[in-house]
């Protein structure tokens, strides 16, 4: 995608027709978690590919209508606690400085993939379940800012804000590119249950409905992409990787996602495949869709 012609052709095939048909595409993510691994060729191609896509959008008259960014793993953070001390890992920082300059110049968001589940799974004795599930708790107070955090997701987002600000950028907004909770896992994956998954997603939805901001940015509503709509039964890795979905591939719900109160009565009371189809369609609208492609 570093080749302008390739970027232009991809947009004409995969984006422009849908926009003409009335789809609402707001963001294109070039690659995913490119700085998590050791593929230096991929990392070196990331920003040139983003620039090529951005310029191709301009040629199609779509600049300002569709943003271009990429999604990062939280592993790019060397320090995430306390949030005010947030700092990027030195190996990622060299790549991130010109990347942040691009985001600042184009008004595109910084996408971070945050999974409080991982913190709880790794240390359930020390990480309070209520803190990661948005349930009532005393919270954690940042010793430097004295800001109180009643959930881990907001603390992670503000740590990223602090890391970005430490590199000299105050005009780049942070959005959560992925977050979710698995409904099932291996025996050592503590907390991976339908009950906890439903609680996490349900409480998160309520926060989003309130247009709530983080303690550091209270006036900026948190913007979140929920992972994922469907379970992925062929995905490799631990059992949790195949069980983040709100629905099974056949369209039946994995657990009560907590959306009944958000649906119009006819849809909420629908039964059978038509009701399932309507609910899935609504979920697809609520959780949005990010157009992504691989750099290869």
């Amino acid at each position: 995608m570093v080749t302008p012609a390739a970027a232009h052709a991809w947009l004409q095939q995969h984006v422009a027709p849908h926009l003409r048909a009335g789809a609402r595409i707001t963001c294109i993510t070039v690659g995913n978690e490119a700085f998590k691994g050791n593929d230096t060729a991929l990392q070196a191609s990331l920003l040139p590919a983003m620039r090529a896509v951005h310029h191709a959008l301009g040629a199609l008259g779509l600049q300002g209508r569709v943003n271009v960014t990429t999604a990062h793993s939280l592993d790019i953070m060397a320090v995430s606690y306390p949030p005010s001390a947030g700092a990027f890992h030195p190996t990622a920082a060299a790549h991130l400085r010109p990347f942040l300059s691009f985001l600042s110049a184009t008004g595109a968001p910084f996408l971070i993939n945050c999974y409080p589940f991982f913190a709880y799974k790794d240390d359930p004795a020390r990480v309070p379940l209520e803190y990661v599930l948005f349930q009532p708790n005393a919270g954690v107070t940042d010793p430097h800012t004295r800001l109180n955090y009643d959930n881990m997701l907001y603390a992670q987002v503000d740590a990223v804000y602090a890391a970005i600000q430490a590199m000299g950028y105050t005009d780049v907004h942070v959005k959560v590119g992925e977050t979710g909770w698995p409904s099932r896992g291996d025996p050592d994956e503590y907390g991976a249950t339908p009950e906890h998954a439903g609680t996490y997603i349900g409480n998160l939805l309520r926060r989003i409905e309130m247009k709530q901001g983080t303690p550091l940015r209270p006036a900026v509503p948190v913007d979140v992409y929920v992972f994922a709509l469907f379970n992925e039964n062929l995905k490799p890795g631990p059992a949790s990787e195949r069980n983040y979905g709100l629905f099974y591939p056949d369209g039946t719900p994995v657990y009560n996602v907590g959306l009944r109160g958000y649906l119009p009565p006819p849809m909420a009371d629908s039964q059978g495949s038509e009701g399932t189809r309507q609910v899935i369609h609504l979920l697809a609208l609520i959780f949005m869709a990010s157009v992504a492609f691989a750099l290869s």
Side-chain angles (χ1 to χ4, degrees):
M1 299 305 294
V2 299
T3 306
H8 191 273
W10 187 88
L11 288 171
Q12 283 192 314
Q13 181 180 356
H14 296 288
V15 176
H18 301 291
L19 288 172
R20 286 194 293 269
R24 180 174 174 261
I25 298 174
T26 59
C27 187
I28 296 172
T29 62
V30 182
N32 184 57
E33 300 187 347
F35 297 122
K36 184 175 182 178
N38 298 313
D39 191 335
T40 55
L42 182 74
Q43 294 165 0
S45 298
L46 180 62
L47 187 54
M50 291 173 59
R51 286 176 173 149
V53 174
H54 179 71
H55 290 148
L57 284 168
L60 292 171
L62 297 174
Q63 263 186 15
R65 184 173 172 185
V66 182
N67 285 318
V68 179
T69 187
T70 190
H72 301 280
S73 164
L74 200 64
D75 289 344
I76 64 170
M77 299 293 291
V79 179
S80 60
Y81 181 81
S84 60
F88 294 122
H89 198 282
T91 57
H95 296 283
L96 288 174
R97 193 173 297 279
F99 171 75
L100 288 169
S101 177
F102 172 84
L103 297 185
S104 176
T106 62
F110 187 103
L111 296 186
I112 190 75
N113 298 341
C114 300
Y115 288 89
F117 164 73
F118 293 145
Y120 179 76
K121 172 184 72 71
D122 292 340
D123 197 357
R126 297 181 59 187
V127 177
L129 185 61
E130 296 81 6
Y131 182 60
V132 293
L133 292 182
F134 302 98
Q135 293 177 320
N137 67 96
V140 177
T141 300
D142 188 309
H144 305 300
T145 63
R146 307 309 301 170
L147 294 173
N148 184 264
Y149 291 85
D150 67 354
N151 70 85
M152 181 176 286
L153 181 69
Y154 287 8
Q156 292 174 335
V157 170
D158 277 356
V160 176
Y161 267 123
I164 292 173
Q165 290 171 4
M167 298 191 79
Y169 295 92
T170 59
D171 58 348
V172 175
H173 289 296
V174 177
K175 297 187 178 184
V176 180
E178 292 180 16
T179 193
W181 195 284
S183 60
R184 184 168 169 262
D186 292 322
D188 62 343
E189 293 188 292
Y190 302 104
T193 69
E195 293 76 20
H196 292 339
T199 299
Y200 183 82
I201 297 299
N203 285 340
L204 174 62
L205 279 175
R206 281 184 277 276
R207 300 268 182 146
I208 300 305
E209 185 188 36
M210 293 164 58
K211 300 187 182 303
Q212 195 175 64
T214 67
L216 184 64
R217 298 284 184 97
V220 180
V222 177
D223 199 356
V224 172
Y225 293 81
V226 170
F227 185 88
L229 191 57
F230 294 103
N231 278 347
E232 301 174 89
N233 64 315
L234 299 180
K235 196 171 184 180
S240 62
E241 290 293 320
R242 294 178 288 282
N243 289 278
Y244 275 91
L246 307 178
F247 293 88
Y248 293 107
D250 66 0
T252 58
V254 176
Y255 54 85
N256 178 13
V257 73
L259 279 176
R260 186 179 180 87
Y262 296 86
L263 307 180
M267 189 178 294
D269 295 336
S270 295
Q271 301 294 324
S273 59
E274 175 61 18
T276 299
R277 185 195 65 77
Q278 289 180 324
V279 171
I280 290 174
H281 176 68
L282 181 65
L283 282 167
L285 295 175
I286 290 175
F287 297 137
M288 308 164 68
S290 175
V291 180
F293 57 90
L295 296 169
S296 58

